Amino acid sequence: SPQQPMDTQTVLKIHSAVRWGKPVAELKEMGLTDAAAAEQQDKINGNAALHIAAQNGHHDLVRFLVHDLNCYVDIQNKARFSVCFLANC
């Protein structure tokens, strides 16, 4: 069965933890364990965990999201910015 989307509060908690560069183990405990979780987007700005990690220079989290969780790297937020644009690639 398809995975249900995370509730908004959980997404916001994960995004906040990513913004502050929390350890991967802590993020996993919060539910950031697969691409479906990682690609949950903020309902207001459309940012996903990868946007937030890239914007804040958390290269270890970007690596975790892309390499370990196989996150979609071309995901766009509501301003139509990709992760690469935000990270100045």
Side-chain angles (χ1 to χ4, degrees):
S1 69
Q3 180 175 339
Q4 293 296 316
M6 286 183 167
D7 64 275
T8 303
Q9 282 305 107
T10 302
V11 172
L12 291 175
K13 283 179 185 174
I14 289 172
H15 286 183
S16 178
V18 170
R19 185 172 292 106
W20 290 103
K22 298 292 185 183
V24 169
E26 192 174 323
L27 295 170
K28 286 180 176 179
E29 285 176 20
M30 298 174 88
L32 191 57
T33 56
D34 57 23
E39 292 167 4
Q40 296 287 314
Q41 292 177 272
D42 183 289
K43 291 190 184 326
I44 296 169
N45 60 30
N47 283 341
L50 191 53
H51 290 103
I52 298 164
Q55 277 180 305
N56 290 283
H58 300 309
H59 304 293
D60 55 330
L61 298 183
V62 170
R63 200 168 15 262
F64 165 67
L65 293 165
V66 173
H67 293 290
D68 298 355
L69 299 188
N70 200 27
C71 218
Y72 180 59
V73 295
D74 290 326
I75 193 166
Q76 292 185 344
N77 65 14
K78 290 196 175 174
R80 301 187 55 91
F81 292 145
S82 69
V83 172
C84 236
F85 178 86
L86 294 173
N88 296 315
C89 305

